[in-house]
Amino acid sequence: MSHPLHPSSARSDMDEIETLAPAAAARPASPPRASIPVSSSALPPARLPFSAAVPGSVVSAPVVSGSIAVPIASDGFGGPEPASHTLTEPVWDTVRRDLHRVVSNLMLVVFPNPFREDPGKALRDWDLWGPFFFIVSLGLILSWSATAGKSQVFAVAFAVLAAGAIVLTLNVLLLGGHIIFFQSLSLLGYCLFPLDVGALICMLNDSVMLKIVVVLVTLAWSSWAAYPFMSAAVNPRRKALALYPVFLMYVSVGCLIIAID
């Protein structure tokens, strides 16, 4: 229930207001404060939230400090695509390009020339088609030369050559060699080309003396072809540890060529 305002209390409030009003009017005015000019150019541009964006306007997203900008080209991620596409080119173009690379690497490895303009080209443009072809060719030649157990001869020759190349490559890497695994496999496979030629000559002639001479010449040729690449890949103090297993594998292949009858 509401109570009416007491007359005495209302009169006392009015007296207090009348007393304070002259005191407020007699108070001196405070001095004006200096205003600081603010340029409109220093203010950051107003950003509207995405939900309140005006249609047709472009709202720029805030840039986070420390982010890395990756350029994305209009036709691909990170830059333009190469002009040649190997997946859509004709098969003959692919075969011709691979054959050209095999012949080029064969000339660089088997016929080393210290005065060549780019002696390290075979290390950069390595491939595995050439080594695979020479390993399979040597296994087939040895199996054709055998009078019995042709499949066993091919299996033994292929296993010895493939496993030997992998073991020799691991040996070079464990010795601290500065060479890629597949580069070493490629070079060791290309250096089998002279032994392929020697095995083919021995298959066409059954003379033991001719076999020995041909194997010695092709063995020296293969070792000479592998020497510059393997010796340059390891420390000079460990050169013998890297070259001796290579020479031992080629000697075993030469003995296999002579022993096949």
Side-chain angles (χ1 to χ4, degrees), residues 110 134 137-139 141-142 161 188-202 214-223 246-247 249-255 257:
V110 182
F134 295 133
S137 299
L138 186 56
I141 293 173
L142 293 177
L161 295 173
L188 291 173
Y190 275 108
C191 292
L192 288 174
F193 172 76
L195 291 173
D196 284 11
V197 176
L200 183 60
I201 295 174
C202 293
V214 170
V215 167
L216 289 176
V217 172
T218 55
L219 177 62
W221 187 4
S222 295
S223 302
V246 177
F247 179 74
M249 188 189 76
Y250 291 157
V251 168
S252 62
V253 174
C255 293
I257 294 173

PDB file of all heavy atoms in Angstrom, residues 110 134 137-139 141-142 161 188-202 214-223 246-247 249-255 257:
ATOM      1  N   VAL A 110      80.771 -45.665 -70.130  1.00  0.00           N
ATOM      2  CA  VAL A 110      81.683 -46.678 -70.657  1.00  0.00           C
ATOM      3  C   VAL A 110      82.863 -46.042 -71.380  1.00  0.00           C
ATOM      4  O   VAL A 110      83.946 -46.622 -71.445  1.00  0.00           O
ATOM      5  CB  VAL A 110      80.912 -47.634 -71.588  1.00  0.00           C
ATOM      6  CG1 VAL A 110      81.825 -48.733 -72.125  1.00  0.00           C
ATOM      7  CG2 VAL A 110      79.758 -48.272 -70.829  1.00  0.00           C
ATOM      8  N   PHE A 134      71.074 -54.372 -69.441  1.00  0.00           N
ATOM      9  CA  PHE A 134      72.386 -55.027 -69.500  1.00  0.00           C
ATOM     10  C   PHE A 134      72.467 -56.220 -68.546  1.00  0.00           C
ATOM     11  O   PHE A 134      73.121 -57.223 -68.864  1.00  0.00           O
ATOM     12  CB  PHE A 134      73.487 -54.017 -69.176  1.00  0.00           C
ATOM     13  CG  PHE A 134      73.605 -52.920 -70.184  1.00  0.00           C
ATOM     14  CD1 PHE A 134      73.710 -51.595 -69.795  1.00  0.00           C
ATOM     15  CD2 PHE A 134      73.602 -53.211 -71.542  1.00  0.00           C
ATOM     16  CE1 PHE A 134      73.811 -50.589 -70.734  1.00  0.00           C
ATOM     17  CE2 PHE A 134      73.703 -52.213 -72.491  1.00  0.00           C
ATOM     18  CZ  PHE A 134      73.805 -50.892 -72.091  1.00  0.00           C
ATOM     19  N   SER A 137      70.409 -58.915 -70.292  1.00  0.00           N
ATOM     20  CA  SER A 137      71.133 -59.387 -71.480  1.00  0.00           C
ATOM     21  C   SER A 137      72.271 -60.328 -71.087  1.00  0.00           C
ATOM     22  O   SER A 137      72.473 -61.375 -71.730  1.00  0.00           O
ATOM     23  CB  SER A 137      71.682 -58.200 -72.267  1.00  0.00           C
ATOM     24  OG  SER A 137      70.645 -57.368 -72.717  1.00  0.00           O
ATOM     25  N   LEU A 138      73.024 -59.973 -70.046  1.00  0.00           N
ATOM     26  CA  LEU A 138      74.120 -60.846 -69.621  1.00  0.00           C
ATOM     27  C   LEU A 138      73.594 -62.178 -69.111  1.00  0.00           C
ATOM     28  O   LEU A 138      74.182 -63.240 -69.400  1.00  0.00           O
ATOM     29  CB  LEU A 138      74.943 -60.150 -68.533  1.00  0.00           C
ATOM     30  CG  LEU A 138      76.206 -60.871 -68.068  1.00  0.00           C
ATOM     31  CD1 LEU A 138      77.141 -61.151 -69.245  1.00  0.00           C
ATOM     32  CD2 LEU A 138      76.924 -60.053 -67.001  1.00  0.00           C
ATOM     33  N   GLY A 139      72.483 -62.160 -68.380  1.00  0.00           N
ATOM     34  CA  GLY A 139      71.893 -63.414 -67.923  1.00  0.00           C
ATOM     35  C   GLY A 139      71.408 -64.279 -69.077  1.00  0.00           C
ATOM     36  O   GLY A 139      71.590 -65.508 -69.075  1.00  0.00           O
ATOM     37  N   ILE A 141      72.559 -64.216 -72.239  1.00  0.00           N
ATOM     38  CA  ILE A 141      73.721 -64.699 -72.993  1.00  0.00           C
ATOM     39  C   ILE A 141      74.361 -65.886 -72.287  1.00  0.00           C
ATOM     40  O   ILE A 141      74.732 -66.900 -72.919  1.00  0.00           O
ATOM     41  CB  ILE A 141      74.740 -63.561 -73.199  1.00  0.00           C
ATOM     42  CG1 ILE A 141      74.152 -62.494 -74.131  1.00  0.00           C
ATOM     43  CG2 ILE A 141      76.042 -64.093 -73.779  1.00  0.00           C
ATOM     44  CD1 ILE A 141      75.015 -61.252 -74.252  1.00  0.00           C
ATOM     45  N   LEU A 142      74.494 -65.808 -70.965  1.00  0.00           N
ATOM     46  CA  LEU A 142      75.079 -66.922 -70.215  1.00  0.00           C
ATOM     47  C   LEU A 142      74.174 -68.149 -70.254  1.00  0.00           C
ATOM     48  O   LEU A 142      74.669 -69.294 -70.333  1.00  0.00           O
ATOM     49  CB  LEU A 142      75.339 -66.500 -68.768  1.00  0.00           C
ATOM     50  CG  LEU A 142      76.422 -65.432 -68.564  1.00  0.00           C
ATOM     51  CD1 LEU A 142      76.535 -65.055 -67.095  1.00  0.00           C
ATOM     52  CD2 LEU A 142      77.766 -65.924 -69.093  1.00  0.00           C
ATOM     53  N   LEU A 161      74.140 -60.492 -60.129  1.00  0.00           N
ATOM     54  CA  LEU A 161      74.331 -59.126 -60.620  1.00  0.00           C
ATOM     55  C   LEU A 161      73.441 -58.130 -59.867  1.00  0.00           C
ATOM     56  O   LEU A 161      73.914 -57.054 -59.461  1.00  0.00           O
ATOM     57  CB  LEU A 161      74.044 -59.071 -62.120  1.00  0.00           C
ATOM     58  CG  LEU A 161      75.006 -59.869 -63.009  1.00  0.00           C
ATOM     59  CD1 LEU A 161      74.520 -59.870 -64.457  1.00  0.00           C
ATOM     60  CD2 LEU A 161      76.401 -59.296 -62.923  1.00  0.00           C
ATOM     61  N   LEU A 188      76.792 -48.746 -61.875  1.00  0.00           N
ATOM     62  CA  LEU A 188      77.295 -50.123 -61.848  1.00  0.00           C
ATOM     63  C   LEU A 188      76.659 -50.967 -62.943  1.00  0.00           C
ATOM     64  O   LEU A 188      77.316 -51.853 -63.520  1.00  0.00           O
ATOM     65  CB  LEU A 188      77.017 -50.741 -60.478  1.00  0.00           C
ATOM     66  CG  LEU A 188      77.816 -50.162 -59.306  1.00  0.00           C
ATOM     67  CD1 LEU A 188      77.331 -50.738 -57.990  1.00  0.00           C
ATOM     68  CD2 LEU A 188      79.305 -50.428 -59.487  1.00  0.00           C
ATOM     69  N   GLY A 189      75.391 -50.709 -63.248  1.00  0.00           N
ATOM     70  CA  GLY A 189      74.744 -51.460 -64.321  1.00  0.00           C
ATOM     71  C   GLY A 189      75.280 -51.099 -65.693  1.00  0.00           C
ATOM     72  O   GLY A 189      75.480 -51.977 -66.543  1.00  0.00           O
ATOM     73  N   TYR A 190      75.553 -49.821 -65.923  1.00  0.00           N
ATOM     74  CA  TYR A 190      76.121 -49.415 -67.213  1.00  0.00           C
ATOM     75  C   TYR A 190      77.540 -49.956 -67.401  1.00  0.00           C
ATOM     76  O   TYR A 190      77.947 -50.234 -68.535  1.00  0.00           O
ATOM     77  CB  TYR A 190      76.128 -47.895 -67.333  1.00  0.00           C
ATOM     78  CG  TYR A 190      74.835 -47.317 -67.842  1.00  0.00           C
ATOM     79  CD1 TYR A 190      73.980 -46.616 -67.007  1.00  0.00           C
ATOM     80  CD2 TYR A 190      74.460 -47.483 -69.176  1.00  0.00           C
ATOM     81  CE1 TYR A 190      72.793 -46.083 -67.476  1.00  0.00           C
ATOM     82  CE2 TYR A 190      73.276 -46.967 -69.647  1.00  0.00           C
ATOM     83  CZ  TYR A 190      72.440 -46.266 -68.798  1.00  0.00           C
ATOM     84  OH  TYR A 190      71.249 -45.750 -69.275  1.00  0.00           O
ATOM     85  N   CYS A 191      78.277 -50.085 -66.312  1.00  0.00           N
ATOM     86  CA  CYS A 191      79.648 -50.612 -66.423  1.00  0.00           C
ATOM     87  C   CYS A 191      79.682 -52.102 -66.747  1.00  0.00           C
ATOM     88  O   CYS A 191      80.768 -52.650 -66.985  1.00  0.00           O
ATOM     89  CB  CYS A 191      80.412 -50.348 -65.129  1.00  0.00           C
ATOM     90  SG  CYS A 191      80.737 -48.596 -64.827  1.00  0.00           S
ATOM     91  N   LEU A 192      78.522 -52.772 -66.759  1.00  0.00           N
ATOM     92  CA  LEU A 192      78.467 -54.175 -67.185  1.00  0.00           C
ATOM     93  C   LEU A 192      78.469 -54.325 -68.702  1.00  0.00           C
ATOM     94  O   LEU A 192      78.581 -55.462 -69.203  1.00  0.00           O
ATOM     95  CB  LEU A 192      77.210 -54.851 -66.622  1.00  0.00           C
ATOM     96  CG  LEU A 192      77.186 -55.152 -65.121  1.00  0.00           C
ATOM     97  CD1 LEU A 192      75.817 -55.677 -64.720  1.00  0.00           C
ATOM     98  CD2 LEU A 192      78.265 -56.161 -64.768  1.00  0.00           C
ATOM     99  N   PHE A 193      78.340 -53.239 -69.436  1.00  0.00           N
ATOM    100  CA  PHE A 193      78.278 -53.340 -70.899  1.00  0.00           C
ATOM    101  C   PHE A 193      79.498 -54.036 -71.502  1.00  0.00           C
ATOM    102  O   PHE A 193      79.338 -54.901 -72.386  1.00  0.00           O
ATOM    103  CB  PHE A 193      78.104 -51.945 -71.495  1.00  0.00           C
ATOM    104  CG  PHE A 193      78.213 -51.904 -72.981  1.00  0.00           C
ATOM    105  CD1 PHE A 193      77.173 -52.359 -73.783  1.00  0.00           C
ATOM    106  CD2 PHE A 193      79.362 -51.415 -73.601  1.00  0.00           C
ATOM    107  CE1 PHE A 193      77.273 -52.320 -75.169  1.00  0.00           C
ATOM    108  CE2 PHE A 193      79.465 -51.386 -74.978  1.00  0.00           C
ATOM    109  CZ  PHE A 193      78.417 -51.836 -75.763  1.00  0.00           C
ATOM    110  N   PRO A 194      80.749 -53.724 -71.090  1.00  0.00           N
ATOM    111  CA  PRO A 194      81.890 -54.465 -71.665  1.00  0.00           C
ATOM    112  C   PRO A 194      81.822 -55.963 -71.396  1.00  0.00           C
ATOM    113  O   PRO A 194      82.187 -56.767 -72.273  1.00  0.00           O
ATOM    114  CB  PRO A 194      83.101 -53.821 -70.976  1.00  0.00           C
ATOM    115  CG  PRO A 194      82.640 -52.449 -70.599  1.00  0.00           C
ATOM    116  CD  PRO A 194      81.221 -52.617 -70.231  1.00  0.00           C
ATOM    117  N   LEU A 195      81.358 -56.356 -70.217  1.00  0.00           N
ATOM    118  CA  LEU A 195      81.235 -57.785 -69.922  1.00  0.00           C
ATOM    119  C   LEU A 195      80.131 -58.426 -70.765  1.00  0.00           C
ATOM    120  O   LEU A 195      80.227 -59.614 -71.112  1.00  0.00           O
ATOM    121  CB  LEU A 195      80.956 -57.989 -68.436  1.00  0.00           C
ATOM    122  CG  LEU A 195      82.123 -57.658 -67.503  1.00  0.00           C
ATOM    123  CD1 LEU A 195      81.684 -57.723 -66.048  1.00  0.00           C
ATOM    124  CD2 LEU A 195      83.290 -58.606 -67.746  1.00  0.00           C
ATOM    125  N   ASP A 196      79.090 -57.677 -71.109  1.00  0.00           N
ATOM    126  CA  ASP A 196      78.075 -58.194 -72.030  1.00  0.00           C
ATOM    127  C   ASP A 196      78.685 -58.492 -73.398  1.00  0.00           C
ATOM    128  O   ASP A 196      78.406 -59.539 -74.005  1.00  0.00           O
ATOM    129  CB  ASP A 196      76.938 -57.187 -72.173  1.00  0.00           C
ATOM    130  CG  ASP A 196      76.023 -57.181 -70.970  1.00  0.00           C
ATOM    131  OD1 ASP A 196      76.390 -57.802 -69.945  1.00  0.00           O
ATOM    132  OD2 ASP A 196      74.959 -56.542 -71.026  1.00  0.00           O
ATOM    133  N   VAL A 197      79.507 -57.548 -73.858  1.00  0.00           N
ATOM    134  CA  VAL A 197      80.169 -57.760 -75.155  1.00  0.00           C
ATOM    135  C   VAL A 197      81.097 -58.963 -75.087  1.00  0.00           C
ATOM    136  O   VAL A 197      81.141 -59.797 -76.007  1.00  0.00           O
ATOM    137  CB  VAL A 197      80.939 -56.482 -75.561  1.00  0.00           C
ATOM    138  CG1 VAL A 197      81.716 -56.721 -76.858  1.00  0.00           C
ATOM    139  CG2 VAL A 197      79.983 -55.308 -75.723  1.00  0.00           C
ATOM    140  N   GLY A 198      81.859 -59.093 -73.974  1.00  0.00           N
ATOM    141  CA  GLY A 198      82.755 -60.243 -73.827  1.00  0.00           C
ATOM    142  C   GLY A 198      82.003 -61.555 -73.761  1.00  0.00           C
ATOM    143  O   GLY A 198      82.434 -62.564 -74.353  1.00  0.00           O
ATOM    144  N   ALA A 199      80.859 -61.592 -73.054  1.00  0.00           N
ATOM    145  CA  ALA A 199      80.066 -62.819 -72.986  1.00  0.00           C
ATOM    146  C   ALA A 199      79.503 -63.194 -74.346  1.00  0.00           C
ATOM    147  O   ALA A 199      79.433 -64.384 -74.701  1.00  0.00           O
ATOM    148  CB  ALA A 199      78.942 -62.643 -71.976  1.00  0.00           C
ATOM    149  N   LEU A 200      79.121 -62.202 -75.138  1.00  0.00           N
ATOM    150  CA  LEU A 200      78.606 -62.488 -76.483  1.00  0.00           C
ATOM    151  C   LEU A 200      79.702 -63.058 -77.380  1.00  0.00           C
ATOM    152  O   LEU A 200      79.464 -64.007 -78.156  1.00  0.00           O
ATOM    153  CB  LEU A 200      78.034 -61.205 -77.086  1.00  0.00           C
ATOM    154  CG  LEU A 200      77.387 -61.329 -78.467  1.00  0.00           C
ATOM    155  CD1 LEU A 200      76.212 -62.298 -78.420  1.00  0.00           C
ATOM    156  CD2 LEU A 200      76.948 -59.960 -78.979  1.00  0.00           C
ATOM    157  N   ILE A 201      80.919 -62.515 -77.285  1.00  0.00           N
ATOM    158  CA  ILE A 201      82.041 -63.037 -78.079  1.00  0.00           C
ATOM    159  C   ILE A 201      82.380 -64.462 -77.647  1.00  0.00           C
ATOM    160  O   ILE A 201      82.631 -65.350 -78.495  1.00  0.00           O
ATOM    161  CB  ILE A 201      83.264 -62.112 -77.948  1.00  0.00           C
ATOM    162  CG1 ILE A 201      82.958 -60.755 -78.562  1.00  0.00           C
ATOM    163  CG2 ILE A 201      84.487 -62.735 -78.640  1.00  0.00           C
ATOM    164  CD1 ILE A 201      84.060 -59.729 -78.355  1.00  0.00           C
ATOM    165  N   CYS A 202      82.380 -64.715 -76.345  1.00  0.00           N
ATOM    166  CA  CYS A 202      82.693 -66.064 -75.851  1.00  0.00           C
ATOM    167  C   CYS A 202      81.612 -67.063 -76.219  1.00  0.00           C
ATOM    168  O   CYS A 202      81.907 -68.268 -76.377  1.00  0.00           O
ATOM    169  CB  CYS A 202      82.871 -66.036 -74.335  1.00  0.00           C
ATOM    170  SG  CYS A 202      84.314 -65.101 -73.777  1.00  0.00           S
ATOM    171  N   VAL A 214      89.523 -62.411 -73.813  1.00  0.00           N
ATOM    172  CA  VAL A 214      88.375 -61.503 -73.925  1.00  0.00           C
ATOM    173  C   VAL A 214      87.880 -61.081 -72.544  1.00  0.00           C
ATOM    174  O   VAL A 214      87.568 -59.899 -72.312  1.00  0.00           O
ATOM    175  CB  VAL A 214      87.258 -62.183 -74.741  1.00  0.00           C
ATOM    176  CG1 VAL A 214      85.973 -61.364 -74.664  1.00  0.00           C
ATOM    177  CG2 VAL A 214      87.679 -62.363 -76.192  1.00  0.00           C
ATOM    178  N   VAL A 215      87.826 -62.030 -71.606  1.00  0.00           N
ATOM    179  CA  VAL A 215      87.342 -61.701 -70.254  1.00  0.00           C
ATOM    180  C   VAL A 215      88.299 -60.740 -69.559  1.00  0.00           C
ATOM    181  O   VAL A 215      87.873 -59.803 -68.873  1.00  0.00           O
ATOM    182  CB  VAL A 215      87.147 -62.991 -69.441  1.00  0.00           C
ATOM    183  CG1 VAL A 215      86.967 -62.676 -67.964  1.00  0.00           C
ATOM    184  CG2 VAL A 215      85.939 -63.761 -69.962  1.00  0.00           C
ATOM    185  N   LEU A 216      89.616 -60.945 -69.732  1.00  0.00           N
ATOM    186  CA  LEU A 216      90.579 -60.034 -69.111  1.00  0.00           C
ATOM    187  C   LEU A 216      90.447 -58.617 -69.667  1.00  0.00           C
ATOM    188  O   LEU A 216      90.497 -57.631 -68.907  1.00  0.00           O
ATOM    189  CB  LEU A 216      92.002 -60.560 -69.308  1.00  0.00           C
ATOM    190  CG  LEU A 216      92.381 -61.813 -68.505  1.00  0.00           C
ATOM    191  CD1 LEU A 216      93.798 -62.271 -68.870  1.00  0.00           C
ATOM    192  CD2 LEU A 216      92.255 -61.557 -67.017  1.00  0.00           C
ATOM    193  N   VAL A 217      90.261 -58.502 -70.973  1.00  0.00           N
ATOM    194  CA  VAL A 217      90.134 -57.170 -71.588  1.00  0.00           C
ATOM    195  C   VAL A 217      88.842 -56.494 -71.143  1.00  0.00           C
ATOM    196  O   VAL A 217      88.852 -55.311 -70.748  1.00  0.00           O
ATOM    197  CB  VAL A 217      90.198 -57.298 -73.126  1.00  0.00           C
ATOM    198  CG1 VAL A 217      89.879 -55.960 -73.782  1.00  0.00           C
ATOM    199  CG2 VAL A 217      91.565 -57.796 -73.565  1.00  0.00           C
ATOM    200  N   THR A 218      87.732 -57.227 -71.192  1.00  0.00           N
ATOM    201  CA  THR A 218      86.453 -56.624 -70.799  1.00  0.00           C
ATOM    202  C   THR A 218      86.389 -56.353 -69.292  1.00  0.00           C
ATOM    203  O   THR A 218      85.756 -55.386 -68.853  1.00  0.00           O
ATOM    204  CB  THR A 218      85.292 -57.535 -71.215  1.00  0.00           C
ATOM    205  OG1 THR A 218      85.496 -58.853 -70.669  1.00  0.00           O
ATOM    206  CG2 THR A 218      85.215 -57.631 -72.731  1.00  0.00           C
ATOM    207  N   LEU A 219      87.081 -57.190 -68.508  1.00  0.00           N
ATOM    208  CA  LEU A 219      87.127 -56.946 -67.076  1.00  0.00           C
ATOM    209  C   LEU A 219      87.884 -55.652 -66.754  1.00  0.00           C
ATOM    210  O   LEU A 219      87.452 -54.841 -65.916  1.00  0.00           O
ATOM    211  CB  LEU A 219      87.779 -58.138 -66.371  1.00  0.00           C
ATOM    212  CG  LEU A 219      87.989 -58.030 -64.860  1.00  0.00           C
ATOM    213  CD1 LEU A 219      86.659 -57.880 -64.142  1.00  0.00           C
ATOM    214  CD2 LEU A 219      88.740 -59.259 -64.346  1.00  0.00           C
ATOM    215  N   ALA A 220      89.014 -55.452 -67.421  1.00  0.00           N
ATOM    216  CA  ALA A 220      89.768 -54.207 -67.227  1.00  0.00           C
ATOM    217  C   ALA A 220      88.958 -53.003 -67.718  1.00  0.00           C
ATOM    218  O   ALA A 220      88.988 -51.926 -67.097  1.00  0.00           O
ATOM    219  CB  ALA A 220      91.101 -54.292 -67.964  1.00  0.00           C
ATOM    220  N   TRP A 221      88.224 -53.182 -68.811  1.00  0.00           N
ATOM    221  CA  TRP A 221      87.399 -52.098 -69.345  1.00  0.00           C
ATOM    222  C   TRP A 221      86.300 -51.703 -68.356  1.00  0.00           C
ATOM    223  O   TRP A 221      86.068 -50.509 -68.092  1.00  0.00           O
ATOM    224  CB  TRP A 221      86.811 -52.537 -70.689  1.00  0.00           C
ATOM    225  CG  TRP A 221      86.082 -51.464 -71.434  1.00  0.00           C
ATOM    226  CD1 TRP A 221      85.949 -50.157 -71.091  1.00  0.00           C
ATOM    227  CD2 TRP A 221      85.370 -51.629 -72.664  1.00  0.00           C
ATOM    228  NE1 TRP A 221      85.202 -49.481 -72.021  1.00  0.00           N
ATOM    229  CE2 TRP A 221      84.833 -50.365 -73.002  1.00  0.00           C
ATOM    230  CE3 TRP A 221      85.140 -52.714 -73.511  1.00  0.00           C
ATOM    231  CZ2 TRP A 221      84.082 -50.165 -74.140  1.00  0.00           C
ATOM    232  CZ3 TRP A 221      84.387 -52.515 -74.661  1.00  0.00           C
ATOM    233  CH2 TRP A 221      83.865 -51.245 -74.967  1.00  0.00           C
ATOM    234  N   SER A 222      85.593 -52.696 -67.793  1.00  0.00           N
ATOM    235  CA  SER A 222      84.517 -52.408 -66.837  1.00  0.00           C
ATOM    236  C   SER A 222      85.068 -51.739 -65.574  1.00  0.00           C
ATOM    237  O   SER A 222      84.474 -50.786 -65.045  1.00  0.00           O
ATOM    238  CB  SER A 222      83.774 -53.698 -66.475  1.00  0.00           C
ATOM    239  OG  SER A 222      83.112 -54.239 -67.601  1.00  0.00           O
ATOM    240  N   SER A 223      86.204 -52.244 -65.095  1.00  0.00           N
ATOM    241  CA  SER A 223      86.799 -51.648 -63.893  1.00  0.00           C
ATOM    242  C   SER A 223      87.261 -50.221 -64.155  1.00  0.00           C
ATOM    243  O   SER A 223      87.105 -49.334 -63.299  1.00  0.00           O
ATOM    244  CB  SER A 223      87.973 -52.505 -63.419  1.00  0.00           C
ATOM    245  OG  SER A 223      87.550 -53.831 -63.162  1.00  0.00           O
ATOM    246  N   VAL A 246      83.819 -53.725 -55.940  1.00  0.00           N
ATOM    247  CA  VAL A 246      83.375 -53.589 -57.333  1.00  0.00           C
ATOM    248  C   VAL A 246      84.227 -54.472 -58.247  1.00  0.00           C
ATOM    249  O   VAL A 246      83.701 -55.212 -59.096  1.00  0.00           O
ATOM    250  CB  VAL A 246      83.444 -52.116 -57.771  1.00  0.00           C
ATOM    251  CG1 VAL A 246      83.055 -51.971 -59.236  1.00  0.00           C
ATOM    252  CG2 VAL A 246      82.542 -51.255 -56.906  1.00  0.00           C
ATOM    253  N   PHE A 247      85.531 -54.403 -58.065  1.00  0.00           N
ATOM    254  CA  PHE A 247      86.424 -55.239 -58.870  1.00  0.00           C
ATOM    255  C   PHE A 247      86.166 -56.718 -58.607  1.00  0.00           C
ATOM    256  O   PHE A 247      86.207 -57.545 -59.537  1.00  0.00           O
ATOM    257  CB  PHE A 247      87.879 -54.883 -58.543  1.00  0.00           C
ATOM    258  CG  PHE A 247      88.891 -55.690 -59.288  1.00  0.00           C
ATOM    259  CD1 PHE A 247      89.136 -55.464 -60.638  1.00  0.00           C
ATOM    260  CD2 PHE A 247      89.609 -56.686 -58.640  1.00  0.00           C
ATOM    261  CE1 PHE A 247      90.066 -56.218 -61.331  1.00  0.00           C
ATOM    262  CE2 PHE A 247      90.546 -57.448 -59.325  1.00  0.00           C
ATOM    263  CZ  PHE A 247      90.778 -57.214 -60.664  1.00  0.00           C
ATOM    264  N   MET A 249      83.303 -58.158 -57.783  1.00  0.00           N
ATOM    265  CA  MET A 249      82.077 -58.592 -58.457  1.00  0.00           C
ATOM    266  C   MET A 249      82.309 -58.792 -59.950  1.00  0.00           C
ATOM    267  O   MET A 249      81.826 -59.773 -60.545  1.00  0.00           O
ATOM    268  CB  MET A 249      80.962 -57.563 -58.236  1.00  0.00           C
ATOM    269  CG  MET A 249      79.604 -58.039 -58.740  1.00  0.00           C
ATOM    270  SD  MET A 249      78.311 -56.785 -58.751  1.00  0.00           S
ATOM    271  CE  MET A 249      78.769 -55.819 -60.177  1.00  0.00           C
ATOM    272  N   TYR A 250      83.063 -57.886 -60.580  1.00  0.00           N
ATOM    273  CA  TYR A 250      83.335 -58.041 -62.006  1.00  0.00           C
ATOM    274  C   TYR A 250      84.213 -59.265 -62.266  1.00  0.00           C
ATOM    275  O   TYR A 250      84.055 -59.942 -63.291  1.00  0.00           O
ATOM    276  CB  TYR A 250      83.995 -56.780 -62.546  1.00  0.00           C
ATOM    277  CG  TYR A 250      83.070 -55.586 -62.590  1.00  0.00           C
ATOM    278  CD1 TYR A 250      83.573 -54.286 -62.583  1.00  0.00           C
ATOM    279  CD2 TYR A 250      81.688 -55.739 -62.645  1.00  0.00           C
ATOM    280  CE1 TYR A 250      82.732 -53.190 -62.624  1.00  0.00           C
ATOM    281  CE2 TYR A 250      80.853 -54.664 -62.681  1.00  0.00           C
ATOM    282  CZ  TYR A 250      81.372 -53.382 -62.670  1.00  0.00           C
ATOM    283  OH  TYR A 250      80.525 -52.296 -62.707  1.00  0.00           O
ATOM    284  N   VAL A 251      85.128 -59.576 -61.366  1.00  0.00           N
ATOM    285  CA  VAL A 251      85.949 -60.787 -61.510  1.00  0.00           C
ATOM    286  C   VAL A 251      85.077 -62.034 -61.422  1.00  0.00           C
ATOM    287  O   VAL A 251      85.267 -63.002 -62.190  1.00  0.00           O
ATOM    288  CB  VAL A 251      87.060 -60.808 -60.448  1.00  0.00           C
ATOM    289  CG1 VAL A 251      87.745 -62.184 -60.394  1.00  0.00           C
ATOM    290  CG2 VAL A 251      88.105 -59.739 -60.748  1.00  0.00           C
ATOM    291  N   SER A 252      84.125 -62.037 -60.497  1.00  0.00           N
ATOM    292  CA  SER A 252      83.228 -63.195 -60.379  1.00  0.00           C
ATOM    293  C   SER A 252      82.377 -63.373 -61.636  1.00  0.00           C
ATOM    294  O   SER A 252      82.144 -64.501 -62.093  1.00  0.00           O
ATOM    295  CB  SER A 252      82.330 -63.029 -59.158  1.00  0.00           C
ATOM    296  OG  SER A 252      81.502 -61.892 -59.275  1.00  0.00           O
ATOM    297  N   VAL A 253      81.925 -62.269 -62.231  1.00  0.00           N
ATOM    298  CA  VAL A 253      81.175 -62.368 -63.476  1.00  0.00           C
ATOM    299  C   VAL A 253      82.056 -62.891 -64.599  1.00  0.00           C
ATOM    300  O   VAL A 253      81.627 -63.724 -65.423  1.00  0.00           O
ATOM    301  CB  VAL A 253      80.574 -60.997 -63.844  1.00  0.00           C
ATOM    302  CG1 VAL A 253      79.907 -61.045 -65.213  1.00  0.00           C
ATOM    303  CG2 VAL A 253      79.561 -60.566 -62.795  1.00  0.00           C
ATOM    304  N   GLY A 254      83.305 -62.428 -64.661  1.00  0.00           N
ATOM    305  CA  GLY A 254      84.236 -62.936 -65.684  1.00  0.00           C
ATOM    306  C   GLY A 254      84.500 -64.415 -65.522  1.00  0.00           C
ATOM    307  O   GLY A 254      84.550 -65.156 -66.522  1.00  0.00           O
ATOM    308  N   CYS A 255      84.685 -64.894 -64.290  1.00  0.00           N
ATOM    309  CA  CYS A 255      84.879 -66.333 -64.051  1.00  0.00           C
ATOM    310  C   CYS A 255      83.638 -67.124 -64.470  1.00  0.00           C
ATOM    311  O   CYS A 255      83.756 -68.241 -64.993  1.00  0.00           O
ATOM    312  CB  CYS A 255      85.199 -66.588 -62.592  1.00  0.00           C
ATOM    313  SG  CYS A 255      86.796 -65.923 -62.055  1.00  0.00           S
ATOM    314  N   ILE A 257      81.630 -66.310 -66.883  1.00  0.00           N
ATOM    315  CA  ILE A 257      81.627 -66.363 -68.347  1.00  0.00           C
ATOM    316  C   ILE A 257      82.557 -67.447 -68.854  1.00  0.00           C
ATOM    317  O   ILE A 257      82.246 -68.196 -69.801  1.00  0.00           O
ATOM    318  CB  ILE A 257      82.017 -64.980 -68.915  1.00  0.00           C
ATOM    319  CG1 ILE A 257      80.961 -63.938 -68.582  1.00  0.00           C
ATOM    320  CG2 ILE A 257      82.220 -65.050 -70.428  1.00  0.00           C
ATOM    321  CD1 ILE A 257      81.344 -62.518 -68.962  1.00  0.00           C
TER     322      ILE A 257
END
